[in-house]
Amino acid sequence: MARRPEGPPPPPVVQRVRLRFAKRGRLRFLSHRDVARTFERGLRRAAVPMAYSAGFSPHPRISWVGAAPTGAASEAEYVELALAVVVDPAQLRAALDAALPPGLDVLEAATAQGTGLAERIDGSRWVVRLPGVAEPELRAAVAELLGRDVVQVERATKDGRRRFDVRAAMVLAVCRAENDTCAILEMVVRHTTPAVRPDDVLTALGVVAGLRPSVPPEPTRLEQGRLREDRTLADPLAPDRNDAGRLAGRSSA
Amino acid sequence: MGLWKGKGVAGDPANARARGGVLPCRRLACMSGQSLFARLEPLLPRVRRPVQYVGGEGNSIVKPWDAAAVRWALMYPDAYEVGLPNQGLQILYEILNEQPDVLAERTYSVWPDLEALLREHGLPQFTVDGHRAVGDFDVFGVSFSTELGYTNMLTALDLAGIALHAERRGESDPIVVAGGHAAFNPEPIAAYVDAVVLGDGEQAVLGITDVIRSWKAAGAPGGRTELLARLARRRLVYVPAFYDVTYRSDGRIQAVTANRDDVPARPSKHTLSDLDSWPYPKAPLVPLAETVHERMSVEIFRGCTRGCRFCQAGMITRPVRERNISTIGAMVDAGLRATGFNEVGLLSLSSADHTEIGEIATGLADRYEGEKVSLSLPSTRVDAFNITLANEFSRNGRRSGLTFAPEGGSERLRKVINKMVSAEDLVRTVSTAYAHGWRQVKLYFMCGLPTETDQDVLEIADLAREVIRAGRRASGHRDIRCTVSIGGFVPKPHTPFQWAGQASHEVTDARLKLLRDTVRADREIARAVGFRYHDGRPGIIEGLLARGDRRVGAVIERVWREGGRFDGWNEHFSFERWESACAAELEPLGVSLDWFTTRERDEREVLAWDHLDAGLDRDWLWADWQEALRETELDDCRWTPCYDCGVCPTMGTDTQIGPTGRSLLPVVGVSAGSPVVTAPVEVEVVAGSGAGDVPAAGSRIDPAAVGSGTPA
């Protein structure tokens, strides 16, 4: 009685393309699920020849890497697409970017080479605008946070409420002033489990120094990548982005 | 349908205190038409699911404010996730924005968390497209699919800084226009709206736009009263203020009479002819947020003459007007290209009744084979042909569930409601479905129908037992599921049941409990039958609002002032609040909640909506009500001679159905022949850049045909 999908199994994956994209402006309010749904529709509109999973409800094979939280903007989100037909990554980038709403902007595309994308990412650089907070106030709070060994915060995750340490994830924090009433916090954060997000850092600043911004802060992720000794981040697409990689993409077409 | 979620605490949005208080800013600081987003944005991280307020949906449109001669704010008065997929609003939005000098933006109900913040920060009700203040627009159009949106309209008016009562509105206030199915009896909201559109909205909104455009160009002579009079004289709208209602000493209506001699005695509904000329929406909106229908919809015909006596939609949308197979094929193709959706729903009141539905199903299934596009056909009837259709639609997909709606539990009751389905039909259909690999069948019934007894409802259990037995026989195994879903019947205006007494919620609840206990006690089927129903109390309030008159308006306002919001949502609805507001506002007038709901009306009683013409002959409706009581069925006029319901001669319309004899040709599919691989990138509609230029068959607008009303 059990039915099976008719016809041959889905075509195999012949190419994997990695994308860096931005989540900007009002689209920072998209959740990861919203981004994923919007991407799937964009991929259909751009007629990207996706590889699909098998079964009665086939899904396009898309691998997401650590999404920025709802409300946070980003210049450095990463995703990997599995394709059934070899394409020129530059053309794919342009077509997909045109098919996505303004604010979800595809910035780079490269054919995957070598190691997995997730292995190349273990840190993020963030910049957080803090309207209503003066720079000296922020500086003092950050100094207090960095002076501690452990700062526990609590947050509701999908596995329930969790307590975790923020301090150990903080690699670097720099304070600047946009003007007298708006401070800027720039920081590099190591990816831990659960991931320490900008709002966790702000919670921690509240815990250690009573910093409580009256206006919601505006976080933007600037970079993701492998943390180097000098506390900078290695571009995760750099190993994919070379002439050999592009040639490989074309030669098998 | 997603709305009644869980058993709820009676919601008390923290804004009861805020109501009369803060006057939003629009007349103070803001320039007309300015975007409020910069002031709204800091509030969004503080509310649930902020994405619903940011706009930017695929195919949404923001036009320059100053270049527009007429500006519409269109509202669906429920949450964004429910309102965005609404076809009526999407159709009007696109038609209006296609006019070069017209601008239309959308607004939805804000949840209580944002409502409180808007009041705290002095921000008004805003549109999601340009984030402009609703009060800045010329027209504020509100589409009511259900009466339970009335309190939400009051929230929006109040937040917008528009006087709640039409009579207190000033010259700079938008004209507030109601439409949608519930607007066929707008009397309960008569005090809060300036005008009402009855029927199909496509041509009506263009006609209204024309009148406003020339009135504004002439310097707004005579103010808003003259504008409303012009709209009424052109038979575009019903203006409640131009009609007076008098009452008899026993509380019944004496008469409803026009108080001006230049307006029609009976305003009538708009009927769109030739749906092939109006293939909207051409570029459906693609939401960024999750919504209740994650698919593209194509309306394959409008109207239904099956004659189910409980069905308001089937009565007020007559006659049947089909889109032909070519238009449907073109709309599906253009819509998929414009949106990237992977599911298409073919909508209508009874989709399997399209004269060429078989060809459409096969044609679309062939066309999108291997394209990962799934097709769905809501509103199917109980007959084996539907299984053939469903098999086509799920040719290579999962076969999970099929839904059938016998509506009434007993043969007798199905004759009363004119739903011509026998138990044998049902068992035969269900057997075929299970034999074809379908695993679950959902049966939809109503409780509280006229003349219903406990026995009629208990026969639902017998039907369920037959269905389970048939499924076990046909499939050869015991693991068969059947879900029985039951809704409370609410008598609606312009139907043969408009005179019926509504069953009290106590009666409905008792019958449902009896049925549930009977199913649970039956060991043969207890675990195979799932049982879904709602308590009867919200239905009583829906009944009050559906058949209420102008006196019910004060009840709505009181409920709203006491915090009533989102009455279609279980967690917000409070029956006690409605009940006490009825006691306070109605009983001093000698009427009551029961008087409006459970009381049966006699033939001569003037009904609150008798002065509004849906085309149906009142004598025919009464005769059909009497036929119902005699348990006599009536056939569909598409296949048997006309039975004189009155619509076609009154409205000058005619049934428009096929077959055309055409078939669908294959098209180059959405993902076949990828432009990424083979050709320069071709993107017809760029996200968020406007509906523009999606080709569809016969998509010509005829501005001369202006003059006709609100889509389903």
Side-chain angles (χ1 to χ4, degrees), chain A residues 127-178:
Chain A
V127 61
V128 186
R129 280 189 79 235
L130 294 153
V133 175
E135 193 266 351
E137 190 191 352
L138 175 67
R139 181 179 296 273
V142 168
E144 183 65 34
L145 172 60
L146 295 179
R148 307 270 182 109
D149 292 330
V150 174
V151 180
Q152 295 271 334
V153 301
E154 203 176 80
R155 165 159 58 89
T157 71
K158 64 179 189 298
D159 306 317
R161 288 203 78 80
R162 290 185 62 171
R163 268 186 87 73
F164 52 93
D165 177 30
V166 167
R167 175 62 190 91
M170 298 285 296
V171 177
L172 182 74
V174 179
C175 303
R176 288 187 276 125
E178 186 175 295

Tab-separated table of all heavy atoms in Angstrom, chain A residues 127-178:
chain	number	residue	atom	x	y	z
A	127	VAL	N	29.527	45.384	15.671
A	127	VAL	CA	29.504	46.779	16.100
A	127	VAL	C	28.087	47.052	16.606
A	127	VAL	O	27.112	46.645	15.976
A	127	VAL	CB	29.940	47.743	14.972
A	127	VAL	CG1	29.006	47.660	13.775
A	127	VAL	CG2	30.015	49.168	15.480
A	128	VAL	N	27.994	47.675	17.771
A	128	VAL	CA	26.683	47.925	18.372
A	128	VAL	C	26.527	49.422	18.605
A	128	VAL	O	27.322	50.029	19.333
A	128	VAL	CB	26.537	47.174	19.717
A	128	VAL	CG1	25.114	47.335	20.256
A	128	VAL	CG2	26.881	45.705	19.561
A	129	ARG	N	25.541	50.013	17.967
A	129	ARG	CA	25.206	51.434	18.242
A	129	ARG	C	24.358	51.479	19.498
A	129	ARG	O	23.407	50.716	19.644
A	129	ARG	CB	24.387	52.035	17.098
A	129	ARG	CG	25.190	52.462	15.886
A	129	ARG	CD	24.290	53.250	14.911
A	129	ARG	NE	24.091	54.638	15.340
A	129	ARG	CZ	22.920	55.219	15.525
A	129	ARG	NH1	21.805	54.544	15.356
A	129	ARG	NH2	22.840	56.485	15.903
A	130	LEU	N	24.680	52.396	20.372
A	130	LEU	CA	23.928	52.527	21.619
A	130	LEU	C	23.385	53.943	21.771
A	130	LEU	O	23.955	54.761	22.519
A	130	LEU	CB	24.845	52.168	22.801
A	130	LEU	CG	25.289	50.703	22.834
A	130	LEU	CD1	26.616	50.553	23.549
A	130	LEU	CD2	24.221	49.863	23.508
A	131	PRO	N	22.304	54.247	21.064
A	131	PRO	CA	21.726	55.599	21.176
A	131	PRO	C	21.300	55.843	22.624
A	131	PRO	O	20.767	54.938	23.272
A	131	PRO	CB	20.508	55.563	20.254
A	131	PRO	CG	20.656	54.334	19.416
A	131	PRO	CD	21.485	53.377	20.210
A	132	GLY	N	21.562	57.033	23.126
A	132	GLY	CA	21.156	57.357	24.491
A	132	GLY	C	22.201	56.991	25.536
A	132	GLY	O	22.010	57.249	26.723
A	133	VAL	N	23.306	56.361	25.098
A	133	VAL	CA	24.358	56.004	26.056
A	133	VAL	C	25.595	56.851	25.730
A	133	VAL	O	26.028	56.904	24.575
A	133	VAL	CB	24.726	54.508	25.955
A	133	VAL	CG1	25.914	54.176	26.859
A	133	VAL	CG2	23.518	53.650	26.304
A	134	ALA	N	26.167	57.514	26.751
A	134	ALA	CA	27.370	58.318	26.531
A	134	ALA	C	28.595	57.403	26.575
A	134	ALA	O	28.620	56.416	27.307
A	134	ALA	CB	27.478	59.413	27.587
A	135	GLU	N	29.582	57.761	25.792
A	135	GLU	CA	30.751	56.892	25.638
A	135	GLU	C	31.444	56.583	26.965
A	135	GLU	O	31.802	55.427	27.220
A	135	GLU	CB	31.715	57.501	24.608
A	135	GLU	CG	32.796	56.557	24.141
A	135	GLU	CD	34.086	56.716	24.948
A	135	GLU	OE1	34.194	57.687	25.753
A	135	GLU	OE2	34.960	55.864	24.796
A	136	PRO	N	31.683	57.584	27.864
A	136	PRO	CA	32.371	57.263	29.125
A	136	PRO	C	31.628	56.219	29.955
A	136	PRO	O	32.234	55.334	30.576
A	136	PRO	CB	32.417	58.608	29.857
A	136	PRO	CG	32.269	59.635	28.793
A	136	PRO	CD	31.397	59.026	27.748
A	137	GLU	N	30.294	56.292	29.916
A	137	GLU	CA	29.493	55.331	30.662
A	137	GLU	C	29.727	53.917	30.118
A	137	GLU	O	29.890	52.951	30.870
A	137	GLU	CB	28.016	55.736	30.507
A	137	GLU	CG	27.050	54.999	31.409
A	137	GLU	CD	25.584	55.262	31.024
A	137	GLU	OE1	25.315	56.138	30.152
A	137	GLU	OE2	24.717	54.579	31.571
A	138	LEU	N	29.732	53.818	28.798
A	138	LEU	CA	29.956	52.520	28.169
A	138	LEU	C	31.359	52.014	28.485
A	138	LEU	O	31.558	50.856	28.848
A	138	LEU	CB	29.765	52.637	26.647
A	138	LEU	CG	30.092	51.370	25.857
A	138	LEU	CD1	29.092	50.261	26.177
A	138	LEU	CD2	30.116	51.634	24.356
A	139	ARG	N	32.346	52.932	28.354
A	139	ARG	CA	33.747	52.549	28.580
A	139	ARG	C	33.922	51.954	29.984
A	139	ARG	O	34.566	50.920	30.154
A	139	ARG	CB	34.634	53.785	28.397
A	139	ARG	CG	36.113	53.526	28.586
A	139	ARG	CD	36.904	54.811	28.356
A	139	ARG	NE	36.776	55.274	26.969
A	139	ARG	CZ	37.573	54.853	25.975
A	139	ARG	NH1	38.507	53.958	26.225
A	139	ARG	NH2	37.408	55.312	24.753
A	140	ALA	N	33.319	52.605	30.967
A	140	ALA	CA	33.455	52.128	32.352
A	140	ALA	C	32.828	50.741	32.508
A	140	ALA	O	33.389	49.841	33.149
A	140	ALA	CB	32.786	53.121	33.310
A	141	ALA	N	31.658	50.562	31.891
A	141	ALA	CA	30.965	49.278	32.014
A	141	ALA	C	31.775	48.165	31.343
A	141	ALA	O	31.901	47.061	31.877
A	141	ALA	CB	29.573	49.379	31.406
A	142	VAL	N	32.321	48.468	30.178
A	142	VAL	CA	33.101	47.462	29.450
A	142	VAL	C	34.352	47.092	30.238
A	142	VAL	O	34.717	45.912	30.357
A	142	VAL	CB	33.451	47.975	28.031
A	142	VAL	CG1	34.492	47.077	27.381
A	142	VAL	CG2	32.190	48.054	27.180
A	143	ALA	N	35.014	48.105	30.841
A	143	ALA	CA	36.207	47.834	31.644
A	143	ALA	C	35.859	46.913	32.808
A	143	ALA	O	36.593	45.969	33.127
A	143	ALA	CB	36.806	49.152	32.150
A	144	GLU	N	34.714	47.166	33.401
A	144	GLU	CA	34.253	46.331	34.513
A	144	GLU	C	34.039	44.880	34.048
A	144	GLU	O	34.455	43.938	34.712
A	144	GLU	CB	32.944	46.939	35.057
A	144	GLU	CG	32.356	46.254	36.264
A	144	GLU	CD	33.242	46.358	37.513
A	144	GLU	OE1	33.909	47.412	37.671
A	144	GLU	OE2	33.271	45.394	38.293
A	145	LEU	N	33.414	44.749	32.886
A	145	LEU	CA	33.143	43.402	32.355
A	145	LEU	C	34.451	42.666	32.063
A	145	LEU	O	34.629	41.503	32.443
A	145	LEU	CB	32.293	43.507	31.073
A	145	LEU	CG	32.072	42.215	30.277
A	145	LEU	CD1	31.363	41.154	31.104
A	145	LEU	CD2	31.271	42.489	29.009
A	146	LEU	N	35.378	43.381	31.399
A	146	LEU	CA	36.626	42.713	31.015
A	146	LEU	C	37.491	42.396	32.231
A	146	LEU	O	38.345	41.513	32.188
A	146	LEU	CB	37.406	43.587	30.012
A	146	LEU	CG	36.705	43.786	28.666
A	146	LEU	CD1	37.535	44.681	27.746
A	146	LEU	CD2	36.408	42.451	27.977
A	147	GLY	N	37.239	43.119	33.328
A	147	GLY	CA	37.995	42.881	34.556
A	147	GLY	C	37.551	41.635	35.307
A	147	GLY	O	38.251	41.176	36.217
A	148	ARG	N	36.434	41.096	34.953
A	148	ARG	CA	35.938	39.890	35.656
A	148	ARG	C	36.452	38.626	34.971
A	148	ARG	O	36.813	38.646	33.796
A	148	ARG	CB	34.401	39.865	35.637
A	148	ARG	CG	33.727	41.115	36.154
A	148	ARG	CD	33.486	41.025	37.645
A	148	ARG	NE	32.793	42.246	38.111
A	148	ARG	CZ	31.516	42.254	38.508
A	148	ARG	NH1	30.795	41.143	38.486
A	148	ARG	NH2	30.960	43.385	38.939
A	149	ASP	N	36.404	37.520	35.688
A	149	ASP	CA	36.756	36.229	35.087
A	149	ASP	C	35.546	35.554	34.463
A	149	ASP	O	35.647	34.892	33.434
A	149	ASP	CB	37.346	35.297	36.152
A	149	ASP	CG	38.698	35.804	36.617
A	149	ASP	OD1	39.397	36.455	35.805
A	149	ASP	OD2	39.030	35.591	37.800
A	150	VAL	N	34.409	35.717	35.131
A	150	VAL	CA	33.181	35.050	34.681
A	150	VAL	C	32.017	36.017	34.882
A	150	VAL	O	31.927	36.667	35.923
A	150	VAL	CB	32.897	33.763	35.504
A	150	VAL	CG1	31.558	33.168	35.125
A	150	VAL	CG2	34.018	32.750	35.310
A	151	VAL	N	31.164	36.176	33.857
A	151	VAL	CA	29.932	36.943	34.045
A	151	VAL	C	28.779	36.115	33.482
A	151	VAL	O	28.664	35.943	32.259
A	151	VAL	CB	29.982	38.321	33.359
A	151	VAL	CG1	28.677	39.062	33.592
A	151	VAL	CG2	31.145	39.142	33.873
A	152	GLN	N	27.961	35.594	34.367
A	152	GLN	CA	26.863	34.737	33.940
A	152	GLN	C	25.643	35.588	33.543
A	152	GLN	O	25.319	36.557	34.220
A	152	GLN	CB	26.446	33.821	35.102
A	152	GLN	CG	27.509	32.835	35.521
A	152	GLN	CD	27.424	31.540	34.745
A	152	GLN	OE1	26.362	31.175	34.266
A	152	GLN	NE2	28.553	30.854	34.611
A	153	VAL	N	25.007	35.223	32.436
A	153	VAL	CA	23.718	35.828	32.092
A	153	VAL	C	22.735	34.697	31.815
A	153	VAL	O	23.132	33.543	31.633
A	153	VAL	CB	23.788	36.763	30.858
A	153	VAL	CG1	24.766	37.888	31.085
A	153	VAL	CG2	24.134	35.977	29.608
A	154	GLU	N	21.445	35.060	31.740
A	154	GLU	CA	20.418	34.074	31.479
A	154	GLU	C	19.626	34.509	30.264
A	154	GLU	O	19.378	35.688	30.069
A	154	GLU	CB	19.481	33.970	32.686
A	154	GLU	CG	18.753	32.652	32.757
A	154	GLU	CD	17.905	32.554	34.018
A	154	GLU	OE1	16.811	33.130	34.009
A	154	GLU	OE2	18.354	31.926	34.981
A	155	ARG	N	19.276	33.549	29.433
A	155	ARG	CA	18.449	33.869	28.264
A	155	ARG	C	17.574	32.667	27.921
A	155	ARG	O	17.987	31.519	28.124
A	155	ARG	CB	19.343	34.229	27.075
A	155	ARG	CG	18.625	34.227	25.734
A	155	ARG	CD	19.346	35.040	24.672
A	155	ARG	NE	20.709	34.618	24.414
A	155	ARG	CZ	21.043	33.683	23.509
A	155	ARG	NH1	20.121	33.074	22.813
A	155	ARG	NH2	22.311	33.375	23.308
A	156	ALA	N	16.382	32.950	27.380
A	156	ALA	CA	15.510	31.878	26.911
A	156	ALA	C	16.030	31.398	25.565
A	156	ALA	O	16.142	32.182	24.622
A	156	ALA	CB	14.075	32.388	26.775
A	157	THR	N	16.395	30.137	25.461
A	157	THR	CA	16.778	29.555	24.185
A	157	THR	C	15.711	28.549	23.799
A	157	THR	O	14.768	28.323	24.550
A	157	THR	CB	18.135	28.829	24.274
A	157	THR	OG1	17.956	27.644	25.051
A	157	THR	CG2	19.193	29.704	24.921
A	158	LYS	N	15.895	27.927	22.641
A	158	LYS	CA	14.867	26.961	22.244
A	158	LYS	C	14.871	25.730	23.154
A	158	LYS	O	13.921	24.964	23.183
A	158	LYS	CB	15.025	26.574	20.761
A	158	LYS	CG	16.316	25.858	20.419
A	158	LYS	CD	16.306	25.513	18.926
A	158	LYS	CE	17.443	24.603	18.522
A	158	LYS	NZ	18.783	25.172	18.732
A	159	ASP	N	15.948	25.574	23.930
A	159	ASP	CA	15.988	24.472	24.903
A	159	ASP	C	15.610	24.932	26.309
A	159	ASP	O	15.980	24.317	27.291
A	159	ASP	CB	17.396	23.858	24.946
A	159	ASP	CG	17.857	23.450	23.550
A	159	ASP	OD1	17.043	22.874	22.815
A	159	ASP	OD2	19.019	23.736	23.199
A	160	GLY	N	14.911	26.056	26.395
A	160	GLY	CA	14.514	26.564	27.709
A	160	GLY	C	15.490	27.636	28.190
A	160	GLY	O	16.397	28.050	27.455
A	161	ARG	N	15.307	28.091	29.410
A	161	ARG	CA	16.190	29.139	29.942
A	161	ARG	C	17.559	28.558	30.246
A	161	ARG	O	17.672	27.502	30.859
A	161	ARG	CB	15.582	29.741	31.215
A	161	ARG	CG	14.372	30.631	30.934
A	161	ARG	CD	14.127	31.624	32.051
A	161	ARG	NE	15.032	32.758	32.003
A	161	ARG	CZ	14.871	33.799	31.177
A	161	ARG	NH1	13.865	33.831	30.341
A	161	ARG	NH2	15.732	34.794	31.189
A	162	ARG	N	18.578	29.274	29.787
A	162	ARG	CA	19.931	28.778	30.045
A	162	ARG	C	20.772	29.875	30.665
A	162	ARG	O	20.625	31.053	30.346
A	162	ARG	CB	20.585	28.313	28.741
A	162	ARG	CG	19.950	27.049	28.215
A	162	ARG	CD	20.665	26.527	27.001
A	162	ARG	NE	22.061	26.157	27.284
A	162	ARG	CZ	22.824	25.500	26.397
A	162	ARG	NH1	22.338	25.171	25.226
A	162	ARG	NH2	24.078	25.206	26.696
A	163	ARG	N	21.687	29.470	31.563
A	163	ARG	CA	22.673	30.385	32.140
A	163	ARG	C	24.015	30.058	31.536
A	163	ARG	O	24.388	28.897	31.422
A	163	ARG	CB	22.733	30.193	33.663
A	163	ARG	CG	21.817	31.115	34.435
A	163	ARG	CD	22.046	30.975	35.921
A	163	ARG	NE	23.111	31.854	36.426
A	163	ARG	CZ	22.981	33.174	36.560
A	163	ARG	NH1	21.846	33.758	36.215
A	163	ARG	NH2	23.975	33.901	37.028
A	164	PHE	N	24.708	31.105	31.126
A	164	PHE	CA	26.020	30.841	30.533
A	164	PHE	C	26.923	32.052	30.738
A	164	PHE	O	26.458	33.153	31.062
A	164	PHE	CB	25.889	30.486	29.042
A	164	PHE	CG	25.080	31.486	28.251
A	164	PHE	CD1	25.710	32.544	27.601
A	164	PHE	CD2	23.701	31.368	28.167
A	164	PHE	CE1	24.963	33.463	26.870
A	164	PHE	CE2	22.952	32.293	27.437
A	164	PHE	CZ	23.579	33.334	26.788
A	165	ASP	N	28.233	31.810	30.541
A	165	ASP	CA	29.241	32.846	30.772
A	165	ASP	C	29.444	33.686	29.514
A	165	ASP	O	29.583	33.155	28.405
A	165	ASP	CB	30.554	32.165	31.169
A	165	ASP	CG	31.674	33.179	31.354
A	165	ASP	OD1	31.365	34.331	31.749
A	165	ASP	OD2	32.843	32.817	31.113
A	166	VAL	N	29.453	34.999	29.683
A	166	VAL	CA	29.694	35.911	28.564
A	166	VAL	C	31.180	36.248	28.472
A	166	VAL	O	31.756	36.336	27.384
A	166	VAL	CB	28.868	37.209	28.742
A	166	VAL	CG1	29.337	38.288	27.785
A	166	VAL	CG2	27.387	36.922	28.514
A	167	ARG	N	31.814	36.400	29.632
A	167	ARG	CA	33.178	36.943	29.652
A	167	ARG	C	34.153	36.119	28.811
A	167	ARG	O	34.946	36.674	28.052
A	167	ARG	CB	33.657	37.038	31.114
A	167	ARG	CG	35.119	37.478	31.289
A	167	ARG	CD	35.344	38.873	30.724
A	167	ARG	NE	36.767	39.227	30.674
A	167	ARG	CZ	37.558	38.993	29.626
A	167	ARG	NH1	37.092	38.386	28.552
A	167	ARG	NH2	38.820	39.364	29.648
A	168	ALA	N	34.077	34.786	28.946
A	168	ALA	CA	35.052	33.932	28.259
A	168	ALA	C	34.953	34.066	26.743
A	168	ALA	O	35.945	33.869	26.034
A	168	ALA	CB	34.850	32.475	28.676
A	169	ALA	N	33.772	34.422	26.244
A	169	ALA	CA	33.605	34.547	24.794
A	169	ALA	C	34.141	35.882	24.265
A	169	ALA	O	34.364	36.036	23.065
A	169	ALA	CB	32.128	34.404	24.431
A	170	MET	N	34.362	36.850	25.159
A	170	MET	CA	34.786	38.185	24.719
A	170	MET	C	36.273	38.172	24.377
A	170	MET	O	37.119	37.971	25.246
A	170	MET	CB	34.571	39.214	25.845
A	170	MET	CG	33.121	39.376	26.272
A	170	MET	SD	32.156	40.298	25.073
A	170	MET	CE	32.939	41.895	25.123
A	171	VAL	N	36.569	38.390	23.113
A	171	VAL	CA	37.964	38.384	22.682
A	171	VAL	C	38.515	39.806	22.696
A	171	VAL	O	39.667	40.037	23.042
A	171	VAL	CB	38.066	37.782	21.263
A	171	VAL	CG1	39.491	37.837	20.749
A	171	VAL	CG2	37.534	36.354	21.269
A	172	LEU	N	37.673	40.750	22.364
A	172	LEU	CA	38.117	42.126	22.191
A	172	LEU	C	36.911	43.046	22.337
A	172	LEU	O	35.827	42.690	21.886
A	172	LEU	CB	38.697	42.272	20.769
A	172	LEU	CG	39.276	43.605	20.340
A	172	LEU	CD1	40.625	43.817	21.031
A	172	LEU	CD2	39.461	43.616	18.829
A	173	ALA	N	37.088	44.199	22.974
A	173	ALA	CA	35.998	45.180	23.019
A	173	ALA	C	36.593	46.582	22.964
A	173	ALA	O	37.524	46.902	23.708
A	173	ALA	CB	35.173	45.001	24.286
A	174	VAL	N	36.087	47.392	22.066
A	174	VAL	CA	36.588	48.756	21.875
A	174	VAL	C	35.400	49.709	21.933
A	174	VAL	O	34.356	49.441	21.331
A	174	VAL	CB	37.288	48.893	20.501
A	174	VAL	CG1	37.781	50.314	20.297
A	174	VAL	CG2	38.433	47.905	20.384
A	175	CYS	N	35.558	50.814	22.655
A	175	CYS	CA	34.461	51.786	22.751
A	175	CYS	C	34.806	53.041	21.954
A	175	CYS	O	35.950	53.505	21.968
A	175	CYS	CB	34.231	52.178	24.204
A	175	CYS	SG	33.878	50.765	25.247
A	176	ARG	N	33.807	53.561	21.285
A	176	ARG	CA	33.964	54.815	20.550
A	176	ARG	C	32.725	55.666	20.809
A	176	ARG	O	31.744	55.194	21.377
A	176	ARG	CB	34.041	54.557	19.041
A	176	ARG	CG	35.338	53.931	18.572
A	176	ARG	CD	35.365	53.871	17.052
A	176	ARG	NE	34.670	52.702	16.507
A	176	ARG	CZ	33.697	52.767	15.608
A	176	ARG	NH1	33.245	53.937	15.176
A	176	ARG	NH2	33.130	51.668	15.151
A	177	ALA	N	32.819	56.924	20.356
A	177	ALA	CA	31.643	57.789	20.476
A	177	ALA	C	31.206	58.209	19.087
A	177	ALA	O	32.012	58.693	18.299
A	177	ALA	CB	31.961	59.010	21.323
A	178	GLU	N	29.919	57.986	18.757
A	178	GLU	CA	29.395	58.540	17.500
A	178	GLU	C	29.172	60.026	17.705
A	178	GLU	O	29.465	60.848	16.864
A	178	GLU	CB	28.093	57.829	17.113
A	178	GLU	CG	27.560	58.245	15.764
A	178	GLU	CD	26.329	57.428	15.363
A	178	GLU	OE1	26.470	56.212	15.160
A	178	GLU	OE2	25.230	58.012	15.289
